[in-house]
PDB file of all heavy atoms in Angstrom:
ATOM      1  N   GLY G   1      81.710 133.522  47.667  1.00  0.00           N
ATOM      2  CA  GLY G   1      80.909 133.192  46.515  1.00  0.00           C
ATOM      3  C   GLY G   1      79.366 133.443  46.588  1.00  0.00           C
ATOM      4  O   GLY G   1      78.656 133.203  45.680  1.00  0.00           O
ATOM      5  N   GLY G   2      78.990 133.926  47.766  1.00  0.00           N
ATOM      6  CA  GLY G   2      77.597 134.274  47.876  1.00  0.00           C
ATOM      7  C   GLY G   2      77.181 135.496  47.159  1.00  0.00           C
ATOM      8  O   GLY G   2      78.061 136.186  46.556  1.00  0.00           O
ATOM      9  N   GLY G   3      75.916 135.772  47.052  1.00  0.00           N
ATOM     10  CA  GLY G   3      75.438 136.977  46.278  1.00  0.00           C
ATOM     11  C   GLY G   3      73.983 136.896  46.038  1.00  0.00           C
ATOM     12  O   GLY G   3      73.269 136.126  46.585  1.00  0.00           O
ATOM     13  N   LEU G   4      73.589 137.810  45.129  1.00  0.00           N
ATOM     14  CA  LEU G   4      72.199 137.972  44.673  1.00  0.00           C
ATOM     15  C   LEU G   4      72.015 137.294  43.344  1.00  0.00           C
ATOM     16  O   LEU G   4      72.832 137.564  42.409  1.00  0.00           O
ATOM     17  CB  LEU G   4      71.819 139.376  44.635  1.00  0.00           C
ATOM     18  CG  LEU G   4      70.461 139.717  44.119  1.00  0.00           C
ATOM     19  CD1 LEU G   4      69.332 139.136  44.918  1.00  0.00           C
ATOM     20  CD2 LEU G   4      70.239 141.237  43.915  1.00  0.00           C
ATOM     21  N   VAL G   5      71.043 136.432  43.157  1.00  0.00           N
ATOM     22  CA  VAL G   5      70.813 135.767  41.856  1.00  0.00           C
ATOM     23  C   VAL G   5      69.276 135.610  41.681  1.00  0.00           C
ATOM     24  O   VAL G   5      68.592 135.523  42.634  1.00  0.00           O
ATOM     25  CB  VAL G   5      71.520 134.413  41.838  1.00  0.00           C
ATOM     26  CG1 VAL G   5      71.040 133.486  42.942  1.00  0.00           C
ATOM     27  CG2 VAL G   5      71.573 133.795  40.473  1.00  0.00           C
ATOM     28  N   GLN G   6      68.983 135.569  40.420  1.00  0.00           N
ATOM     29  CA  GLN G   6      67.528 135.363  40.109  1.00  0.00           C
ATOM     30  C   GLN G   6      67.126 133.894  40.235  1.00  0.00           C
ATOM     31  O   GLN G   6      67.975 132.988  40.085  1.00  0.00           O
ATOM     32  CB  GLN G   6      67.155 135.830  38.746  1.00  0.00           C
ATOM     33  CG  GLN G   6      67.163 137.340  38.603  1.00  0.00           C
ATOM     34  CD  GLN G   6      66.662 137.825  37.156  1.00  0.00           C
ATOM     35  OE1 GLN G   6      66.812 137.059  36.151  1.00  0.00           O
ATOM     36  NE2 GLN G   6      66.136 138.982  37.165  1.00  0.00           N
ATOM     37  N   ALA G   7      65.865 133.664  40.536  1.00  0.00           N
ATOM     38  CA  ALA G   7      65.439 132.262  40.543  1.00  0.00           C
ATOM     39  C   ALA G   7      65.764 131.553  39.298  1.00  0.00           C
ATOM     40  O   ALA G   7      65.616 132.075  38.153  1.00  0.00           O
ATOM     41  CB  ALA G   7      63.971 132.183  40.793  1.00  0.00           C
ATOM     42  N   GLY G   8      66.203 130.278  39.345  1.00  0.00           N
ATOM     43  CA  GLY G   8      66.634 129.583  38.236  1.00  0.00           C
ATOM     44  C   GLY G   8      68.114 129.661  37.910  1.00  0.00           C
ATOM     45  O   GLY G   8      68.673 128.920  37.102  1.00  0.00           O
ATOM     46  N   GLY G   9      68.735 130.624  38.553  1.00  0.00           N
ATOM     47  CA  GLY G   9      70.195 130.831  38.329  1.00  0.00           C
ATOM     48  C   GLY G   9      71.077 129.959  39.117  1.00  0.00           C
ATOM     49  O   GLY G   9      70.594 129.036  39.799  1.00  0.00           O
ATOM     50  N   SER G  10      72.411 130.177  39.079  1.00  0.00           N
ATOM     51  CA  SER G  10      73.357 129.331  39.704  1.00  0.00           C
ATOM     52  C   SER G  10      74.360 130.219  40.512  1.00  0.00           C
ATOM     53  O   SER G  10      74.617 131.348  40.218  1.00  0.00           O
ATOM     54  CB  SER G  10      74.144 128.557  38.719  1.00  0.00           C
ATOM     55  OG  SER G  10      73.285 127.636  37.979  1.00  0.00           O
ATOM     56  N   LEU G  11      74.889 129.595  41.583  1.00  0.00           N
ATOM     57  CA  LEU G  11      76.001 130.197  42.361  1.00  0.00           C
ATOM     58  C   LEU G  11      76.917 129.113  42.792  1.00  0.00           C
ATOM     59  O   LEU G  11      76.451 127.963  42.932  1.00  0.00           O
ATOM     60  CB  LEU G  11      75.514 130.888  43.609  1.00  0.00           C
ATOM     61  CG  LEU G  11      74.896 132.316  43.469  1.00  0.00           C
ATOM     62  CD1 LEU G  11      74.365 132.774  44.862  1.00  0.00           C
ATOM     63  CD2 LEU G  11      75.967 133.285  42.987  1.00  0.00           C
ATOM     64  N   ARG G  12      78.171 129.492  42.978  1.00  0.00           N
ATOM     65  CA  ARG G  12      79.203 128.481  43.462  1.00  0.00           C
ATOM     66  C   ARG G  12      79.818 129.029  44.723  1.00  0.00           C
ATOM     67  O   ARG G  12      80.453 130.079  44.690  1.00  0.00           O
ATOM     68  CB  ARG G  12      80.232 128.254  42.393  1.00  0.00           C
ATOM     69  CG  ARG G  12      81.268 127.162  42.728  1.00  0.00           C
ATOM     70  CD  ARG G  12      82.204 126.950  41.612  1.00  0.00           C
ATOM     71  NE  ARG G  12      83.250 125.977  41.831  1.00  0.00           N
ATOM     72  CZ  ARG G  12      83.091 124.716  41.595  1.00  0.00           C
ATOM     73  NH1 ARG G  12      81.982 124.211  41.056  1.00  0.00           N
ATOM     74  NH2 ARG G  12      84.058 123.843  41.813  1.00  0.00           N
ATOM     75  N   LEU G  13      79.567 128.339  45.797  1.00  0.00           N
ATOM     76  CA  LEU G  13      80.182 128.673  47.104  1.00  0.00           C
ATOM     77  C   LEU G  13      81.526 127.934  47.275  1.00  0.00           C
ATOM     78  O   LEU G  13      81.620 126.811  46.974  1.00  0.00           O
ATOM     79  CB  LEU G  13      79.306 128.497  48.228  1.00  0.00           C
ATOM     80  CG  LEU G  13      77.835 129.057  48.150  1.00  0.00           C
ATOM     81  CD1 LEU G  13      77.055 128.751  49.454  1.00  0.00           C
ATOM     82  CD2 LEU G  13      77.922 130.511  47.957  1.00  0.00           C
ATOM     83  N   SER G  14      82.544 128.717  47.917  1.00  0.00           N
ATOM     84  CA  SER G  14      83.754 128.000  48.197  1.00  0.00           C
ATOM     85  C   SER G  14      84.095 128.205  49.685  1.00  0.00           C
ATOM     86  O   SER G  14      83.701 129.227  50.289  1.00  0.00           O
ATOM     87  CB  SER G  14      84.903 128.623  47.328  1.00  0.00           C
ATOM     88  OG  SER G  14      84.676 128.316  46.004  1.00  0.00           O
ATOM     89  N   CYS G  15      84.839 127.332  50.166  1.00  0.00           N
ATOM     90  CA  CYS G  15      85.289 127.403  51.600  1.00  0.00           C
ATOM     91  C   CYS G  15      86.735 127.062  51.641  1.00  0.00           C
ATOM     92  O   CYS G  15      87.138 125.897  51.211  1.00  0.00           O
ATOM     93  CB  CYS G  15      84.538 126.438  52.507  1.00  0.00           C
ATOM     94  SG  CYS G  15      85.009 126.336  54.177  1.00  0.00           S
ATOM     95  N   ALA G  16      87.624 127.933  52.103  1.00  0.00           N
ATOM     96  CA  ALA G  16      89.010 127.729  52.244  1.00  0.00           C
ATOM     97  C   ALA G  16      89.313 127.420  53.675  1.00  0.00           C
ATOM     98  O   ALA G  16      88.971 128.082  54.589  1.00  0.00           O
ATOM     99  CB  ALA G  16      89.775 128.934  51.827  1.00  0.00           C
ATOM    100  N   ALA G  17      89.988 126.260  53.919  1.00  0.00           N
ATOM    101  CA  ALA G  17      90.331 125.821  55.228  1.00  0.00           C
ATOM    102  C   ALA G  17      91.821 125.895  55.511  1.00  0.00           C
ATOM    103  O   ALA G  17      92.663 125.586  54.621  1.00  0.00           O
ATOM    104  CB  ALA G  17      89.857 124.307  55.358  1.00  0.00           C
ATOM    105  N   SER G  18      92.144 126.163  56.771  1.00  0.00           N
ATOM    106  CA  SER G  18      93.554 126.166  57.180  1.00  0.00           C
ATOM    107  C   SER G  18      93.595 125.721  58.613  1.00  0.00           C
ATOM    108  O   SER G  18      92.642 125.782  59.403  1.00  0.00           O
ATOM    109  CB  SER G  18      94.177 127.621  57.028  1.00  0.00           C
ATOM    110  OG  SER G  18      93.432 128.533  57.760  1.00  0.00           O
ATOM    111  N   GLY G  19      94.880 125.333  59.062  1.00  0.00           N
ATOM    112  CA  GLY G  19      95.076 125.013  60.437  1.00  0.00           C
ATOM    113  C   GLY G  19      94.964 123.635  60.897  1.00  0.00           C
ATOM    114  O   GLY G  19      95.191 123.327  62.003  1.00  0.00           O
ATOM    115  N   ARG G  20      94.547 122.686  59.988  1.00  0.00           N
ATOM    116  CA  ARG G  20      94.403 121.288  60.433  1.00  0.00           C
ATOM    117  C   ARG G  20      94.521 120.468  59.165  1.00  0.00           C
ATOM    118  O   ARG G  20      94.377 120.971  58.025  1.00  0.00           O
ATOM    119  CB  ARG G  20      93.027 121.085  61.113  1.00  0.00           C
ATOM    120  CG  ARG G  20      92.908 119.714  61.785  1.00  0.00           C
ATOM    121  CD  ARG G  20      91.568 119.601  62.516  1.00  0.00           C
ATOM    122  NE  ARG G  20      90.411 119.554  61.617  1.00  0.00           N
ATOM    123  CZ  ARG G  20      89.180 119.312  62.066  1.00  0.00           C
ATOM    124  NH1 ARG G  20      88.994 119.163  63.286  1.00  0.00           N
ATOM    125  NH2 ARG G  20      88.171 119.360  61.156  1.00  0.00           N
ATOM    126  N   ALA G  21      94.789 119.204  59.332  1.00  0.00           N
ATOM    127  CA  ALA G  21      94.874 118.274  58.250  1.00  0.00           C
ATOM    128  C   ALA G  21      93.483 118.141  57.536  1.00  0.00           C
ATOM    129  O   ALA G  21      92.687 117.272  57.871  1.00  0.00           O
ATOM    130  CB  ALA G  21      95.382 116.833  58.642  1.00  0.00           C
ATOM    131  N   PHE G  22      93.264 118.917  56.572  1.00  0.00           N
ATOM    132  CA  PHE G  22      91.955 119.060  55.975  1.00  0.00           C
ATOM    133  C   PHE G  22      91.364 117.758  55.458  1.00  0.00           C
ATOM    134  O   PHE G  22      90.220 117.474  55.572  1.00  0.00           O
ATOM    135  CB  PHE G  22      92.059 120.026  54.765  1.00  0.00           C
ATOM    136  CG  PHE G  22      90.859 120.212  53.994  1.00  0.00           C
ATOM    137  CD1 PHE G  22      89.780 121.090  54.481  1.00  0.00           C
ATOM    138  CD2 PHE G  22      90.615 119.642  52.727  1.00  0.00           C
ATOM    139  CE1 PHE G  22      88.613 121.267  53.744  1.00  0.00           C
ATOM    140  CE2 PHE G  22      89.484 119.770  52.052  1.00  0.00           C
ATOM    141  CZ  PHE G  22      88.442 120.627  52.561  1.00  0.00           C
ATOM    142  N   SER G  23      92.257 116.950  54.873  1.00  0.00           N
ATOM    143  CA  SER G  23      91.794 115.752  54.145  1.00  0.00           C
ATOM    144  C   SER G  23      91.394 114.623  55.090  1.00  0.00           C
ATOM    145  O   SER G  23      90.883 113.633  54.657  1.00  0.00           O
ATOM    146  CB  SER G  23      93.002 115.156  53.296  1.00  0.00           C
ATOM    147  OG  SER G  23      94.042 114.761  54.065  1.00  0.00           O
ATOM    148  N   THR G  24      91.506 114.813  56.472  1.00  0.00           N
ATOM    149  CA  THR G  24      91.185 113.757  57.382  1.00  0.00           C
ATOM    150  C   THR G  24      89.875 113.953  58.046  1.00  0.00           C
ATOM    151  O   THR G  24      89.526 113.159  58.947  1.00  0.00           O
ATOM    152  CB  THR G  24      92.276 113.595  58.444  1.00  0.00           C
ATOM    153  OG1 THR G  24      92.474 114.735  59.134  1.00  0.00           O
ATOM    154  CG2 THR G  24      93.667 113.289  57.765  1.00  0.00           C
ATOM    155  N   TYR G  25      89.183 115.002  57.748  1.00  0.00           N
ATOM    156  CA  TYR G  25      87.837 115.315  58.392  1.00  0.00           C
ATOM    157  C   TYR G  25      86.701 115.497  57.452  1.00  0.00           C
ATOM    158  O   TYR G  25      86.910 116.012  56.319  1.00  0.00           O
ATOM    159  CB  TYR G  25      88.014 116.573  59.257  1.00  0.00           C
ATOM    160  CG  TYR G  25      88.912 116.354  60.450  1.00  0.00           C
ATOM    161  CD1 TYR G  25      90.313 116.462  60.305  1.00  0.00           C
ATOM    162  CD2 TYR G  25      88.337 116.072  61.735  1.00  0.00           C
ATOM    163  CE1 TYR G  25      91.104 116.320  61.406  1.00  0.00           C
ATOM    164  CE2 TYR G  25      89.203 115.885  62.809  1.00  0.00           C
ATOM    165  CZ  TYR G  25      90.582 115.999  62.652  1.00  0.00           C
ATOM    166  OH  TYR G  25      91.411 115.786  63.754  1.00  0.00           O
ATOM    167  N   PRO G  26      85.502 115.141  57.802  1.00  0.00           N
ATOM    168  CA  PRO G  26      84.375 115.443  56.995  1.00  0.00           C
ATOM    169  C   PRO G  26      84.064 116.934  56.895  1.00  0.00           C
ATOM    170  O   PRO G  26      84.425 117.665  57.859  1.00  0.00           O
ATOM    171  CB  PRO G  26      83.188 114.607  57.652  1.00  0.00           C
ATOM    172  CG  PRO G  26      83.580 114.597  59.137  1.00  0.00           C
ATOM    173  CD  PRO G  26      85.054 114.508  59.083  1.00  0.00           C
ATOM    174  N   MET G  27      83.395 117.296  55.833  1.00  0.00           N
ATOM    175  CA  MET G  27      82.999 118.690  55.694  1.00  0.00           C
ATOM    176  C   MET G  27      81.534 118.793  55.327  1.00  0.00           C
ATOM    177  O   MET G  27      80.916 117.796  54.830  1.00  0.00           O
ATOM    178  CB  MET G  27      83.852 119.416  54.602  1.00  0.00           C
ATOM    179  CG  MET G  27      85.293 119.406  54.803  1.00  0.00           C
ATOM    180  SD  MET G  27      85.829 120.442  56.163  1.00  0.00           S
ATOM    181  CE  MET G  27      85.368 122.098  55.433  1.00  0.00           C
ATOM    182  N   ALA G  28      80.935 119.967  55.520  1.00  0.00           N
ATOM    183  CA  ALA G  28      79.532 120.080  55.241  1.00  0.00           C
ATOM    184  C   ALA G  28      79.186 121.558  54.983  1.00  0.00           C
ATOM    185  O   ALA G  28      79.921 122.471  55.275  1.00  0.00           O
ATOM    186  CB  ALA G  28      78.693 119.630  56.315  1.00  0.00           C
ATOM    187  N   TRP G  29      77.963 121.733  54.502  1.00  0.00           N
ATOM    188  CA  TRP G  29      77.339 123.073  54.380  1.00  0.00           C
ATOM    189  C   TRP G  29      76.035 123.062  55.111  1.00  0.00           C
ATOM    190  O   TRP G  29      75.177 122.110  54.939  1.00  0.00           O
ATOM    191  CB  TRP G  29      77.122 123.419  52.869  1.00  0.00           C
ATOM    192  CG  TRP G  29      78.344 123.732  52.056  1.00  0.00           C
ATOM    193  CD1 TRP G  29      79.070 122.838  51.361  1.00  0.00           C
ATOM    194  CD2 TRP G  29      79.077 124.969  51.975  1.00  0.00           C
ATOM    195  NE1 TRP G  29      80.162 123.471  50.806  1.00  0.00           N
ATOM    196  CE2 TRP G  29      80.210 124.803  51.179  1.00  0.00           C
ATOM    197  CE3 TRP G  29      78.782 126.215  52.471  1.00  0.00           C
ATOM    198  CZ2 TRP G  29      81.043 125.803  50.795  1.00  0.00           C
ATOM    199  CZ3 TRP G  29      79.689 127.265  52.181  1.00  0.00           C
ATOM    200  CH2 TRP G  29      80.763 127.052  51.328  1.00  0.00           C
ATOM    201  N   PHE G  30      75.745 124.113  55.845  1.00  0.00           N
ATOM    202  CA  PHE G  30      74.516 124.353  56.481  1.00  0.00           C
ATOM    203  C   PHE G  30      73.992 125.716  56.008  1.00  0.00           C
ATOM    204  O   PHE G  30      74.778 126.482  55.521  1.00  0.00           O
ATOM    205  CB  PHE G  30      74.656 124.369  58.016  1.00  0.00           C
ATOM    206  CG  PHE G  30      74.929 122.956  58.500  1.00  0.00           C
ATOM    207  CD1 PHE G  30      76.204 122.330  58.476  1.00  0.00           C
ATOM    208  CD2 PHE G  30      73.900 122.226  59.087  1.00  0.00           C
ATOM    209  CE1 PHE G  30      76.386 121.072  59.004  1.00  0.00           C
ATOM    210  CE2 PHE G  30      74.092 120.926  59.642  1.00  0.00           C
ATOM    211  CZ  PHE G  30      75.415 120.358  59.546  1.00  0.00           C
ATOM    212  N   ARG G  31      72.724 125.930  56.258  1.00  0.00           N
ATOM    213  CA  ARG G  31      72.201 127.320  55.901  1.00  0.00           C
ATOM    214  C   ARG G  31      71.201 127.740  56.969  1.00  0.00           C
ATOM    215  O   ARG G  31      70.591 126.872  57.618  1.00  0.00           O
ATOM    216  CB  ARG G  31      71.579 127.324  54.503  1.00  0.00           C
ATOM    217  CG  ARG G  31      70.359 126.499  54.369  1.00  0.00           C
ATOM    218  CD  ARG G  31      69.908 126.523  52.942  1.00  0.00           C
ATOM    219  NE  ARG G  31      68.655 125.738  52.724  1.00  0.00           N
ATOM    220  CZ  ARG G  31      68.205 125.401  51.578  1.00  0.00           C
ATOM    221  NH1 ARG G  31      68.741 125.748  50.428  1.00  0.00           N
ATOM    222  NH2 ARG G  31      67.034 124.667  51.500  1.00  0.00           N
ATOM    223  N   GLN G  32      71.038 129.034  57.046  1.00  0.00           N
ATOM    224  CA  GLN G  32      69.994 129.588  58.003  1.00  0.00           C
ATOM    225  C   GLN G  32      69.214 130.743  57.244  1.00  0.00           C
ATOM    226  O   GLN G  32      69.899 131.707  56.903  1.00  0.00           O
ATOM    227  CB  GLN G  32      70.661 130.051  59.226  1.00  0.00           C
ATOM    228  CG  GLN G  32      69.662 130.508  60.330  1.00  0.00           C
ATOM    229  CD  GLN G  32      70.375 130.687  61.687  1.00  0.00           C
ATOM    230  OE1 GLN G  32      71.540 130.886  61.770  1.00  0.00           O
ATOM    231  NE2 GLN G  32      69.543 130.575  62.733  1.00  0.00           N
ATOM    232  N   ALA G  33      67.941 130.490  57.154  1.00  0.00           N
ATOM    233  CA  ALA G  33      67.068 131.492  56.542  1.00  0.00           C
ATOM    234  C   ALA G  33      66.599 132.443  57.738  1.00  0.00           C
ATOM    235  O   ALA G  33      66.565 132.053  58.888  1.00  0.00           O
ATOM    236  CB  ALA G  33      65.889 130.843  55.944  1.00  0.00           C
ATOM    237  N   PRO G  34      66.173 133.681  57.425  1.00  0.00           N
ATOM    238  CA  PRO G  34      65.702 134.625  58.428  1.00  0.00           C
ATOM    239  C   PRO G  34      64.584 133.991  59.276  1.00  0.00           C
ATOM    240  O   PRO G  34      63.600 133.461  58.671  1.00  0.00           O
ATOM    241  CB  PRO G  34      65.286 135.744  57.595  1.00  0.00           C
ATOM    242  CG  PRO G  34      66.005 135.726  56.353  1.00  0.00           C
ATOM    243  CD  PRO G  34      66.220 134.225  56.017  1.00  0.00           C
ATOM    244  N   GLY G  35      64.686 134.035  60.553  1.00  0.00           N
ATOM    245  CA  GLY G  35      63.679 133.559  61.445  1.00  0.00           C
ATOM    246  C   GLY G  35      63.612 132.052  61.532  1.00  0.00           C
ATOM    247  O   GLY G  35      62.664 131.536  62.190  1.00  0.00           O
ATOM    248  N   LYS G  36      64.542 131.312  60.977  1.00  0.00           N
ATOM    249  CA  LYS G  36      64.468 129.924  61.020  1.00  0.00           C
ATOM    250  C   LYS G  36      65.698 129.268  61.614  1.00  0.00           C
ATOM    251  O   LYS G  36      66.776 130.037  61.710  1.00  0.00           O
ATOM    252  CB  LYS G  36      64.241 129.324  59.643  1.00  0.00           C
ATOM    253  CG  LYS G  36      62.916 129.657  58.983  1.00  0.00           C
ATOM    254  CD  LYS G  36      62.780 128.934  57.671  1.00  0.00           C
ATOM    255  CE  LYS G  36      61.366 129.207  57.072  1.00  0.00           C
ATOM    256  NZ  LYS G  36      61.209 128.531  55.749  1.00  0.00           N
ATOM    257  N   ASP G  37      65.717 128.059  62.041  1.00  0.00           N
ATOM    258  CA  ASP G  37      66.897 127.317  62.595  1.00  0.00           C
ATOM    259  C   ASP G  37      67.843 127.047  61.425  1.00  0.00           C
ATOM    260  O   ASP G  37      67.445 126.929  60.277  1.00  0.00           O
ATOM    261  CB  ASP G  37      66.456 126.089  63.324  1.00  0.00           C
ATOM    262  CG  ASP G  37      65.606 126.382  64.574  1.00  0.00           C
ATOM    263  OD1 ASP G  37      65.785 127.487  65.112  1.00  0.00           O
ATOM    264  OD2 ASP G  37      64.845 125.481  64.898  1.00  0.00           O
ATOM    265  N   ARG G  38      69.110 126.851  61.866  1.00  0.00           N
ATOM    266  CA  ARG G  38      70.109 126.349  60.914  1.00  0.00           C
ATOM    267  C   ARG G  38      69.733 125.012  60.461  1.00  0.00           C
ATOM    268  O   ARG G  38      69.359 124.197  61.288  1.00  0.00           O
ATOM    269  CB  ARG G  38      71.410 126.512  61.525  1.00  0.00           C
ATOM    270  CG  ARG G  38      72.593 126.126  60.619  1.00  0.00           C
ATOM    271  CD  ARG G  38      73.930 126.561  61.203  1.00  0.00           C
ATOM    272  NE  ARG G  38      74.202 125.897  62.554  1.00  0.00           N
ATOM    273  CZ  ARG G  38      75.112 126.301  63.303  1.00  0.00           C
ATOM    274  NH1 ARG G  38      75.982 127.230  63.006  1.00  0.00           N
ATOM    275  NH2 ARG G  38      75.269 125.547  64.477  1.00  0.00           N
ATOM    276  N   GLU G  39      69.854 124.752  59.099  1.00  0.00           N
ATOM    277  CA  GLU G  39      69.531 123.412  58.622  1.00  0.00           C
ATOM    278  C   GLU G  39      70.666 122.826  57.755  1.00  0.00           C
ATOM    279  O   GLU G  39      71.447 123.616  57.191  1.00  0.00           O
ATOM    280  CB  GLU G  39      68.298 123.415  57.850  1.00  0.00           C
ATOM    281  CG  GLU G  39      68.348 124.306  56.514  1.00  0.00           C
ATOM    282  CD  GLU G  39      67.071 124.220  55.712  1.00  0.00           C
ATOM    283  OE1 GLU G  39      66.098 123.506  56.056  1.00  0.00           O
ATOM    284  OE2 GLU G  39      67.106 124.825  54.642  1.00  0.00           O
ATOM    285  N   PHE G  40      70.763 121.554  57.738  1.00  0.00           N
ATOM    286  CA  PHE G  40      71.714 120.809  56.916  1.00  0.00           C
ATOM    287  C   PHE G  40      71.440 121.003  55.452  1.00  0.00           C
ATOM    288  O   PHE G  40      70.284 120.989  54.995  1.00  0.00           O
ATOM    289  CB  PHE G  40      71.634 119.345  57.275  1.00  0.00           C
ATOM    290  CG  PHE G  40      72.425 118.488  56.398  1.00  0.00           C
ATOM    291  CD1 PHE G  40      73.762 118.365  56.445  1.00  0.00           C
ATOM    292  CD2 PHE G  40      71.709 117.647  55.492  1.00  0.00           C
ATOM    293  CE1 PHE G  40      74.464 117.567  55.592  1.00  0.00           C
ATOM    294  CE2 PHE G  40      72.435 116.748  54.632  1.00  0.00           C
ATOM    295  CZ  PHE G  40      73.733 116.780  54.661  1.00  0.00           C
ATOM    296  N   VAL G  41      72.506 121.096  54.695  1.00  0.00           N
ATOM    297  CA  VAL G  41      72.382 121.185  53.210  1.00  0.00           C
ATOM    298  C   VAL G  41      73.071 120.063  52.535  1.00  0.00           C
ATOM    299  O   VAL G  41      72.419 119.315  51.751  1.00  0.00           O
ATOM    300  CB  VAL G  41      72.926 122.598  52.690  1.00  0.00           C
ATOM    301  CG1 VAL G  41      72.892 122.537  51.127  1.00  0.00           C
ATOM    302  CG2 VAL G  41      72.221 123.780  53.265  1.00  0.00           C
TER     303      VAL G  41
END
């Protein structure tokens, strides 16, 4: 779901999980900008 968008626009990211009981664990999104540390979203 990533891509290029103009400021003010919208995007929808998806994450498909497999291999474990998905519903029993917390999930999260993080991001990393160029030259910066990964940060919580």
Side-chain angles (χ1 to χ4, degrees):
L4 173 64
V5 64
Q6 289 188 333
S10 299
L11 279 176
R12 185 179 180 88
L13 305 184
S14 295
C15 175
S18 61
R20 190 174 69 173
F22 177 80
S23 64
T24 62
Y25 292 82
M27 299 290 294
W29 289 94
F30 289 79
R31 68 186 180 188
Q32 187 167 22
K36 295 187 177 181
D37 293 334
R38 185 166 58 191
E39 65 174 359
F40 168 75
V41 175

